[in-house]
PDB file of all heavy atoms in Angstrom:
ATOM      1  N   ASP A 326       8.041   1.173 -18.597  1.00 96.00           N
ATOM      2  CA  ASP A 326       8.356   1.827 -17.321  1.00 96.00           C
ATOM      3  C   ASP A 326       9.148   0.893 -16.421  1.00 96.00           C
ATOM      4  O   ASP A 326      10.060   1.353 -15.717  1.00 96.00           O
ATOM      5  CB  ASP A 326       7.095   2.296 -16.603  1.00 96.00           C
ATOM      6  CG  ASP A 326       6.481   3.529 -17.291  1.00 96.00           C
ATOM      7  OD1 ASP A 326       7.220   4.201 -17.970  1.00 96.00           O
ATOM      8  OD2 ASP A 326       5.275   3.800 -17.065  1.00 96.00           O
ATOM      9  N   ILE A 327       8.766  -0.375 -16.390  1.00 97.00           N
ATOM     10  CA  ILE A 327       9.496  -1.322 -15.504  1.00 97.00           C
ATOM     11  C   ILE A 327      10.972  -1.448 -15.999  1.00 97.00           C
ATOM     12  O   ILE A 327      11.902  -1.440 -15.165  1.00 97.00           O
ATOM     13  CB  ILE A 327       8.818  -2.723 -15.528  1.00 97.00           C
ATOM     14  CG1 ILE A 327       7.463  -2.651 -14.806  1.00 97.00           C
ATOM     15  CG2 ILE A 327       9.727  -3.750 -14.823  1.00 97.00           C
ATOM     16  CD1 ILE A 327       6.673  -3.940 -14.818  1.00 97.00           C
ATOM     17  N   TYR A 328      11.151  -1.602 -17.293  1.00 97.00           N
ATOM     18  CA  TYR A 328      12.499  -1.664 -17.824  1.00 97.00           C
ATOM     19  C   TYR A 328      13.297  -0.382 -17.528  1.00 97.00           C
ATOM     20  O   TYR A 328      14.473  -0.414 -17.193  1.00 97.00           O
ATOM     21  CB  TYR A 328      12.462  -2.020 -19.276  1.00 97.00           C
ATOM     22  CG  TYR A 328      12.042  -3.441 -19.619  1.00 97.00           C
ATOM     23  CD1 TYR A 328      11.169  -3.696 -20.663  1.00 97.00           C
ATOM     24  CD2 TYR A 328      12.495  -4.513 -18.912  1.00 97.00           C
ATOM     25  CE1 TYR A 328      10.732  -4.938 -20.993  1.00 97.00           C
ATOM     26  CE2 TYR A 328      12.138  -5.812 -19.144  1.00 97.00           C
ATOM     27  CZ  TYR A 328      11.217  -6.031 -20.210  1.00 97.00           C
ATOM     28  OH  TYR A 328      10.817  -7.279 -20.525  1.00 97.00           O
ATOM     29  N   LEU A 329      12.622   0.717 -17.687  1.00 95.00           N
ATOM     30  CA  LEU A 329      13.238   1.994 -17.415  1.00 95.00           C
ATOM     31  C   LEU A 329      13.702   2.133 -15.977  1.00 95.00           C
ATOM     32  O   LEU A 329      14.793   2.553 -15.659  1.00 95.00           O
ATOM     33  CB  LEU A 329      12.285   3.130 -17.838  1.00 95.00           C
ATOM     34  CG  LEU A 329      12.886   4.553 -18.016  1.00 95.00           C
ATOM     35  CD1 LEU A 329      13.811   4.549 -19.271  1.00 95.00           C
ATOM     36  CD2 LEU A 329      11.749   5.553 -18.216  1.00 95.00           C
ATOM     37  N   TYR A 330      12.795   1.754 -15.096  1.00 93.00           N
ATOM     38  CA  TYR A 330      13.085   1.759 -13.660  1.00 93.00           C
ATOM     39  C   TYR A 330      14.242   0.886 -13.314  1.00 93.00           C
ATOM     40  O   TYR A 330      15.048   1.228 -12.447  1.00 93.00           O
ATOM     41  CB  TYR A 330      11.787   1.294 -12.934  1.00 93.00           C
ATOM     42  CG  TYR A 330      11.907   1.286 -11.417  1.00 93.00           C
ATOM     43  CD1 TYR A 330      11.629   2.396 -10.647  1.00 93.00           C
ATOM     44  CD2 TYR A 330      12.221   0.068 -10.735  1.00 93.00           C
ATOM     45  CE1 TYR A 330      11.723   2.409  -9.325  1.00 93.00           C
ATOM     46  CE2 TYR A 330      12.236   0.040  -9.370  1.00 93.00           C
ATOM     47  CZ  TYR A 330      12.027   1.202  -8.624  1.00 93.00           C
ATOM     48  OH  TYR A 330      12.091   1.217  -7.269  1.00 93.00           O
ATOM     49  N   GLY A 331      14.376  -0.242 -13.997  1.00 93.00           N
ATOM     50  CA  GLY A 331      15.445  -1.196 -13.747  1.00 93.00           C
ATOM     51  C   GLY A 331      16.720  -0.885 -14.556  1.00 93.00           C
ATOM     52  O   GLY A 331      17.658  -1.697 -14.562  1.00 93.00           O
ATOM     53  N   LYS A 332      16.709   0.278 -15.299  1.00 95.00           N
ATOM     54  CA  LYS A 332      17.841   0.737 -16.051  1.00 95.00           C
ATOM     55  C   LYS A 332      18.200  -0.265 -17.196  1.00 95.00           C
ATOM     56  O   LYS A 332      19.330  -0.330 -17.640  1.00 95.00           O
ATOM     57  CB  LYS A 332      19.088   0.982 -15.197  1.00 95.00           C
ATOM     58  CG  LYS A 332      18.872   2.045 -14.120  1.00 95.00           C
ATOM     59  CD  LYS A 332      20.105   2.253 -13.298  1.00 95.00           C
ATOM     60  CE  LYS A 332      19.835   3.329 -12.285  1.00 95.00           C
ATOM     61  NZ  LYS A 332      21.076   3.588 -11.410  1.00 95.00           N
ATOM     62  N   LYS A 333      17.186  -0.954 -17.668  1.00 96.00           N
ATOM     63  CA  LYS A 333      17.399  -1.846 -18.845  1.00 96.00           C
ATOM     64  C   LYS A 333      16.882  -1.080 -20.063  1.00 96.00           C
ATOM     65  O   LYS A 333      15.812  -1.331 -20.656  1.00 96.00           O
ATOM     66  CB  LYS A 333      16.557  -3.117 -18.615  1.00 96.00           C
ATOM     67  CG  LYS A 333      17.053  -3.884 -17.427  1.00 96.00           C
ATOM     68  CD  LYS A 333      16.208  -5.229 -17.213  1.00 96.00           C
ATOM     69  CE  LYS A 333      16.769  -5.927 -16.008  1.00 96.00           C
ATOM     70  NZ  LYS A 333      15.935  -7.239 -15.738  1.00 96.00           N
ATOM     71  N   TYR A 334      17.682  -0.097 -20.483  1.00 96.00           N
ATOM     72  CA  TYR A 334      17.282   0.846 -21.495  1.00 96.00           C
ATOM     73  C   TYR A 334      17.099   0.207 -22.818  1.00 96.00           C
ATOM     74  O   TYR A 334      16.279   0.652 -23.672  1.00 96.00           O
ATOM     75  CB  TYR A 334      18.313   1.995 -21.508  1.00 96.00           C
ATOM     76  CG  TYR A 334      18.517   2.708 -20.207  1.00 96.00           C
ATOM     77  CD1 TYR A 334      19.745   2.941 -19.693  1.00 96.00           C
ATOM     78  CD2 TYR A 334      17.362   3.101 -19.477  1.00 96.00           C
ATOM     79  CE1 TYR A 334      19.958   3.609 -18.463  1.00 96.00           C
ATOM     80  CE2 TYR A 334      17.548   3.730 -18.238  1.00 96.00           C
ATOM     81  CZ  TYR A 334      18.800   3.971 -17.751  1.00 96.00           C
ATOM     82  OH  TYR A 334      18.973   4.564 -16.549  1.00 96.00           O
ATOM     83  N   ASP A 335      17.961  -0.820 -23.138  1.00 96.00           N
ATOM     84  CA  ASP A 335      17.779  -1.503 -24.407  1.00 96.00           C
ATOM     85  C   ASP A 335      16.436  -2.168 -24.555  1.00 96.00           C
ATOM     86  O   ASP A 335      15.835  -2.176 -25.650  1.00 96.00           O
ATOM     87  CB  ASP A 335      18.940  -2.527 -24.628  1.00 96.00           C
ATOM     88  CG  ASP A 335      18.933  -3.568 -23.538  1.00 96.00           C
ATOM     89  OD1 ASP A 335      18.538  -3.241 -22.375  1.00 96.00           O
ATOM     90  OD2 ASP A 335      19.415  -4.700 -23.775  1.00 96.00           O
ATOM     91  N   LYS A 336      15.940  -2.690 -23.435  1.00 97.00           N
ATOM     92  CA  LYS A 336      14.594  -3.356 -23.443  1.00 97.00           C
ATOM     93  C   LYS A 336      13.528  -2.310 -23.574  1.00 97.00           C
ATOM     94  O   LYS A 336      12.465  -2.563 -24.194  1.00 97.00           O
ATOM     95  CB  LYS A 336      14.457  -4.236 -22.238  1.00 97.00           C
ATOM     96  CG  LYS A 336      15.314  -5.427 -22.231  1.00 97.00           C
ATOM     97  CD  LYS A 336      15.008  -6.426 -21.106  1.00 97.00           C
ATOM     98  CE  LYS A 336      15.802  -7.694 -21.288  1.00 97.00           C
ATOM     99  NZ  LYS A 336      15.492  -8.650 -20.197  1.00 97.00           N
ATOM    100  N   SER A 337      13.694  -1.117 -22.904  1.00 97.00           N
ATOM    101  CA  SER A 337      12.702  -0.062 -23.042  1.00 97.00           C
ATOM    102  C   SER A 337      12.653   0.384 -24.459  1.00 97.00           C
ATOM    103  O   SER A 337      11.566   0.662 -25.020  1.00 97.00           O
ATOM    104  CB  SER A 337      13.138   1.149 -22.166  1.00 97.00           C
ATOM    105  OG  SER A 337      12.933   0.846 -20.779  1.00 97.00           O
ATOM    106  N   GLU A 338      13.785   0.490 -25.159  1.00 96.00           N
ATOM    107  CA  GLU A 338      13.815   0.878 -26.562  1.00 96.00           C
ATOM    108  C   GLU A 338      13.087  -0.153 -27.449  1.00 96.00           C
ATOM    109  O   GLU A 338      12.351   0.258 -28.341  1.00 96.00           O
ATOM    110  CB  GLU A 338      15.277   1.034 -27.006  1.00 96.00           C
ATOM    111  CG  GLU A 338      15.422   1.650 -28.403  1.00 96.00           C
ATOM    112  CD  GLU A 338      16.840   1.932 -28.699  1.00 96.00           C
ATOM    113  OE1 GLU A 338      17.745   1.322 -28.081  1.00 96.00           O
ATOM    114  OE2 GLU A 338      17.074   2.789 -29.644  1.00 96.00           O
TER     115      GLU A 338
END
Side-chain angles (χ1 to χ4, degrees):
D326 288 339
I327 292 176
Y328 289 138
L329 198 66
Y330 180 85
K332 298 181 180 180
K333 298 178 180 179
Y334 304 131
D335 57 332
K336 291 189 175 182
S337 288
E338 188 172 21

